[in-house]
Amino acid sequence: MNGEIAVARIVTFDELGPVGLICIDNPPVNAISHSVRLKLVDVIARAQKNPGIKALLIMSDSELFSAGADITEFNRPQGEPSLQQVQTAIESSPIPVVAAMRGLALGGGLELAMACHYRLAHKDAKLGMPEITLGIIPGAGGTQRLPRLIGARAALNLILSGTPISGLEAKVKGLVDEVAEDDLRDAALRFCERLVREGRGPRPTCNRTAEDALDEAEIASSLLAHARVLKGRTTQDLVIEAIKASKLPFSQGVAIEAALAQKSLASRESLALRHVFFAERESGKLSGVSSVDAKRTQPPAIQRVAVVGAGTMGSGIAIAFADAGLEVLLNDNDPASLIRSREIVHSTYASGVRRGRITQSVADERIRRIRNAPALDEVADADLVIEAVFEDTELKKDVLSKLDSVLPPERVIATNTSTLSVTELARATAHPGRVLGLHFFVPAHASRLLEIARTDHTSPESLATAFRVAKVLKKVAVVSRDAFGFIGNRMMLDGYFREAEQLLLEGATPAQVDTALENFGFAMGPQRVSDLGGNDVGTKARVQLFKRESRPDPYFVIADRLTEMGRLGQKTGRGFYRYENGSREAVPDPEVNNLIEKLASDRGIRRREINDQEIVERCILSLINVGAMVLEEGIAARAANIDVVWTSGYGFPRYLGGPMFYADTLGLSQVWQRIRHYQEKLGYYWRPATLIERLASASSGFEQWDRTSASR
Ligand code: T1G
């Protein structure tokens, strides 16, 4: 295409001899929207009146079959025909209907194919039922037809996992009849012509019966296999109930599924998960430009990235880009660092091969993409340069200044700092518009979140490049205005983690605080996280913070004292907990409890029994309160962006939607009252954010605030 985005034709029909070819064309993901359903029913009806058409073939000319039902329709009445009505038109067709799938065939898209009489898939196609990731169950016959095609046990695992299987696997399971090695359209047309020649007619899936039934032992083992990803979730119970109904006559089973699907759609869990789904996409755009329009304004392609600083972070960033298929120049003026970096790269990929995540040949290819570039001027032709040198302002300013002279003026220079002022670093260059922060989270090659820190001078073009970097790395991008801790670390240090330490001083133990918050839904409690990352990391961040701002005592007095004592956490075998013989198991340590008691008594803090409810409430409310401050200070543009940061980068449970969405479910009046309660009880830093007070008094919430701020 000459850069023009072709007008979507929604659904096309071509008569190819005895085969009626129906192509779905609804970019960007061929969602089975209302307009697609309308045209499908119309085209199928008209084709069936054409005596020359002996078989119908449904496929797509784009790189994917369909991403499923149109999620944007879920919050409003879905116009007729419903997907179920389209499926009935297919299944009851007097002539055979064949689906041919390439790329993604997900959710309602795969359900559409399952209502067809035959199915083909390209060997590399990905067929899946990801509905559970949105807190819903398949609602277009998936829990009824899938058991009839691959068995109830296999159907349960495919739906609970939410992850797709390949075309080849689908063939083995009986989900598809034929696999195309290369040209899917050609293979599918030949398949249809053979059907017609052999006089093989419709084969309604609904007339089949599931060979096996779910028994409690299989259900238990399937739930156990998915326990980690389904922790705290409830959708799986509805899935099981629906699949059990697949032993009933189809019409009864599909009615039971429909009722359960409606129930899942209305659940708070699904509202939260759909909120995060759209928030992650919204946060990765320049002021709400859709991914289709954004294609018109894409910045220049990024083929080669340079990373300056071959330490742990620099090596991780290099690996992230190599994984994404880019060439990487890794620069460091210390040969020993480059050698150590090579060791990190090789050991990381060796671990990936050992765990079966990648093959040796893929690992070798990616390692080859990372080339050492000892001389700084070797990075001159990189499309993007990221500095990841030691967290020291003067050192970073020196590197940025040198890069500024080596690189063309429009080339983006990103700093990986997490605690320094990007604005101050940018002052070391003659072109501050091209400077921004790319805050990668450890491990850089695996974490999903990428905070983009923009200064008042960062240009839109530089931001567009940063968004493109996130897309290339398959990371979730959130823009933060340049301020201490950006969004996530500011809320962690001034809110959540700070309150956790305060609770320790007041009488709770690390294990009690961590367990209470893990029961709330966090992947890992704050003290375990601190021991994992290293208590010294937080201490170094606070050293930089106190150069710029102050905080009243106590402020991480426990973690900083542990650092002084060399109790850095897992890496030294002792931190908030003990870790015996290199084990990662956090064992409570009486020595730490004694230290905490001493620090508390030095401050005249009277210790007491504290229950889990208070622990969770204070940690979560302080997180929400600082989040509101981050909003009112303009550091984050949207409350939904904060939710993205905390669900993708800090382990906040996705099924609760993120701290700000969760605050709305509590009700901001209730949130404000409880914050005021703790302000009266504890004083000093429990000042309610003005924004919470304002929204509470207006009986409003953060979601409404986002909507109005978007229109501002
Ligand atoms: N409906 C509507 N819009 C969708 C969509 C969908 N199913 N999937 C994606 N989009 C939009 C997305 O919001 C973005 O919009 C653009 O497409 C590009 O998406 C009845 C009830 C397919 C792997 O859960 O996992 O079927 O930002 O940025 O990174 O039982 O999108 O341009 O405005 O994510 O290449 C089940 C959800 C639905 C799949 C592509 N299906 N989508 O990833 O692009 S429920 C899913 C994805 C259902 C049935 C049930 C991903 C992707 P905008 P993107 P991508």
Side-chain angles (χ1 to χ4, degrees):
M1 273 182 294
N2 60 0
E4 282 301 309
I5 299 278
V7 175
R9 298 166 299 170
I10 306 297
V11 172
T12 61
F13 180 79
D14 291 292
E15 194 170 341
L16 304 175
V19 179
L21 173 60
I22 298 171
C23 271
I24 300 171
D25 174 28
N26 183 28
V29 295
N30 279 352
I32 313 293
S33 62
H34 183 223
S35 50
V36 169
R37 300 194 300 271
L38 273 170
K39 291 203 77 172
L40 278 175
V41 164
D42 173 50
V43 159
I44 290 167
R46 281 194 284 121
Q48 286 167 351
K49 294 192 182 94
N50 177 341
I53 300 293
K54 308 295 184 195
L56 288 175
L57 170 58
I58 300 177
M59 61 185 293
S60 155
D61 274 339
S62 72
E63 76 274 8
L64 83 162
F65 180 71
S66 167
D70 185 337
I71 313 175
T72 62
E73 293 181 0
F74 289 174
N75 296 334
R76 59 178 189 265
Q78 295 181 25
E80 295 217 335
S82 66
L83 181 48
Q84 291 81 346
Q85 286 169 313
V86 176
Q87 290 171 309
T88 303
I90 291 170
E91 209 156 39
S92 60
S93 163
I95 57 175
V97 184
V98 178
M101 299 166 276
R102 68 159 63 88
L104 296 170
L106 303 177
L110 182 56
E111 289 173 300
L112 181 76
M114 286 194 275
C116 294
H117 305 122
Y118 303 89
R119 280 156 296 282
L120 282 87
H122 188 275
K123 64 179 171 45
D124 299 330
K126 292 192 180 307
L127 287 64
M129 305 296 285
E131 286 87 341
I132 200 164
T133 64
L134 296 172
I136 51 183
I137 75 166
T143 64
Q144 307 304 306
R145 289 191 179 90
L146 199 55
R148 286 172 166 79
L149 289 168
I150 67 173
R153 269 197 309 279
L156 177 61
N157 282 312
L158 188 65
I159 294 172
L160 287 189
S161 73
T163 48
I165 56 175
S166 72
L168 283 172
E169 289 170 87
K171 174 75 170 66
V172 169
K173 289 180 182 296
L175 184 50
V176 300
D177 303 288
E178 192 171 292
V179 171
E181 290 295 323
D182 41 31
D183 187 324
L184 176 72
R185 179 187 169 118
D186 184 41
L189 285 171
R190 278 188 282 109
F191 181 92
C192 292
E193 286 153 5
R194 199 165 57 246
L195 274 186
V196 173
R197 214 173 30 252
E198 294 166 0
R200 286 160 61 194
R203 188 183 62 172
T205 308
C206 59
N207 294 347
R208 298 166 69 148
T209 53
E211 283 158 16
D212 62 346
L214 285 182
D215 68 33
E216 292 314 311
E218 282 146 3
I219 291 171
S221 71
S222 189
L223 287 171
L224 189 61
H226 300 96
R228 198 177 56 77
V229 73
L230 292 176
K231 175 188 165 192
R233 298 287 307 276
T234 59
T235 314
Q236 59 272 32
D237 303 331
L238 303 179
V239 168
I240 291 164
E241 203 178 332
I243 292 178
K244 280 182 176 176
S246 65
K247 292 308 284 177
L248 300 172
F250 185 80
S251 59
Q252 288 179 38
V254 83
I256 290 170
E257 177 197 79
L260 293 169
Q262 280 308 316
K263 187 175 177 183
S264 67
L265 209 53
S267 69
R268 182 177 287 185
E269 182 173 314
S270 182
L271 293 169
L273 288 165
R274 282 149 44 203
H275 162 73
V276 175
F277 176 88
F278 287 113
E280 287 182 344
R281 285 149 183 81
E282 200 56 36
S283 69
K285 287 177 211 162
L286 270 173
S287 60
V289 173
S290 88
S291 60
V292 176
D293 297 339
K295 281 191 173 48
R296 293 197 181 97
T297 60
Q298 278 295 353
I302 298 172
Q303 303 292 342
R304 179 180 301 119
V305 172
V307 179
V308 178
T312 307
M313 272 316 287
S315 305
I317 294 169
I319 290 168
F321 282 102
D323 288 349
L326 278 69
E327 272 184 68
V328 184
L329 300 173
L330 193 50
N331 166 268
D332 200 300
N333 58 13
D334 172 12
S337 295
L338 286 174
I339 292 167
R340 273 196 303 276
S341 171
R342 272 289 137 194
E343 289 159 5
I344 294 172
V345 170
H346 279 273
S347 64
T348 303
Y349 279 117
S351 160
V353 172
R354 201 169 45 250
R355 293 180 181 169
R357 288 193 186 139
I358 50 172
T359 62
Q360 188 58 55
S361 60
V362 167
D364 295 342
E365 166 56 28
R366 292 181 183 179
I367 290 170
R368 270 196 298 277
R369 290 187 191 134
I370 302 173
R371 182 165 63 81
N372 286 353
L376 193 64
D377 58 10
E378 291 184 67
V379 307
D381 60 352
D383 303 314
L384 164 74
V385 181
I386 301 168
E387 71 76 21
V389 299
F390 184 69
E391 195 76 346
D392 173 88
T393 297
E394 293 316 310
L395 175 61
K396 286 184 181 289
K397 287 170 88 167
D398 179 49
V399 167
L400 258 62
S401 170
K402 285 174 179 154
L403 288 171
D404 198 43
S405 56
V406 165
L407 294 166
E410 76 289 345
R411 196 63 46 82
V412 170
I413 300 174
T415 168
N416 174 49
T417 187
S418 56
T419 65
L420 306 179
S421 160
V422 180
T423 304
E424 186 178 349
L425 298 180
R427 285 200 195 104
T429 71
H431 309 94
R434 63 154 155 204
V435 178
L436 48 72
L438 287 181
H439 181 207
F440 287 84
F441 287 76
V442 178
H445 62 282
S447 58
R448 289 189 68 229
L449 177 61
L450 181 66
E451 277 185 318
I452 300 169
R454 65 166 179 78
T455 73
D456 294 343
H457 306 291
T458 302
S459 68
E461 293 75 16
S462 299
L463 273 181
T465 297
F467 283 121
R468 186 179 184 85
V469 165
K471 199 83 180 160
V472 161
L473 295 176
K474 292 189 172 36
K475 289 186 181 289
V476 181
V478 179
V479 175
S480 168
R481 189 166 58 73
D482 180 30
F484 177 76
F486 306 139
I487 297 170
N489 284 349
R490 163 75 186 284
M491 291 171 67
M492 181 179 75
L493 291 172
D494 280 353
Y496 175 39
F497 273 34
R498 174 193 209 164
E499 197 56 23
E501 274 224 4
Q502 182 65 29
L503 286 154
L504 297 182
L505 292 169
E506 291 181 26
T509 64
Q512 187 189 2
V513 170
D514 283 340
T515 305
L517 287 156
E518 285 158 16
N519 290 339
F520 170 79
F522 273 96
M524 194 182 265
Q527 274 69 45
R528 287 195 178 94
V529 168
S530 200
D531 272 0
L532 176 66
N535 295 316
D536 52 325
V537 173
T539 300
K540 286 177 193 149
R542 287 182 283 277
V543 167
Q544 297 298 346
L545 167 64
F546 294 135
K547 289 178 184 172
R548 298 161 67 179
E549 303 172 24
S550 66
R551 293 291 187 277
D553 183 283
Y555 188 74
F556 293 91
V557 291
I558 303 171
D560 291 347
R561 181 63 61 80
L562 291 173
T563 299
E564 284 165 23
M565 296 162 67
R567 294 186 66 123
L568 309 185
Q570 288 192 18
K571 58 187 171 185
T572 56
R574 296 188 312 159
F576 279 94
Y577 299 91
R578 297 184 75 85
Y579 301 87
E580 309 296 355
N581 312 318
S583 155
R584 300 170 76 89
E585 188 195 350
V587 178
D589 184 344
E591 194 181 318
V592 172
N593 295 338
N594 297 338
L595 167 69
I596 294 171
E597 285 167 16
K598 170 83 174 59
L599 290 167
S601 69
D602 291 350
R603 287 164 177 77
I605 294 172
R606 285 165 46 80
R607 293 168 64 74
R608 61 185 171 90
E609 283 292 309
I610 300 176
N611 65 35
D612 290 359
Q613 190 272 335
E614 179 178 347
I615 290 171
V616 171
E617 183 175 51
R618 285 174 53 178
C619 286
I620 300 305
L621 287 181
S622 60
L623 182 66
I624 292 166
N625 199 31
V626 179
M629 294 173 187
V630 160
L631 276 176
E632 60 193 17
E633 292 165 21
I635 294 167
R638 303 167 71 244
N641 290 3
I642 292 176
D643 289 334
V644 170
V645 167
W646 273 82
T647 50
S648 61
Y650 289 81
F652 192 97
R654 275 177 82 91
Y655 59 85
L656 295 179
M660 313 317 270
F661 183 93
Y662 183 67
D664 279 355
T665 59
L666 297 176
L668 290 194
S669 299
Q670 167 74 1
V671 167
W672 182 73
Q673 283 165 28
R674 296 301 294 166
I675 291 173
R676 287 281 294 112
H677 163 75
Y678 287 116
Q679 183 184 31
E680 281 157 21
K681 189 177 169 191
L682 300 167
Y684 77 112
Y685 63 85
W686 271 95
R687 169 185 69 79
T690 314
L691 180 59
I692 291 180
E693 200 162 353
R694 186 150 49 85
L695 292 174
S697 56
S699 303
S700 182
F702 291 116
E703 191 176 13
Q704 180 60 35
W705 189 80
D706 278 354
R707 272 203 292 274
T708 47
S709 58
S711 58
R712 272 201 290 269

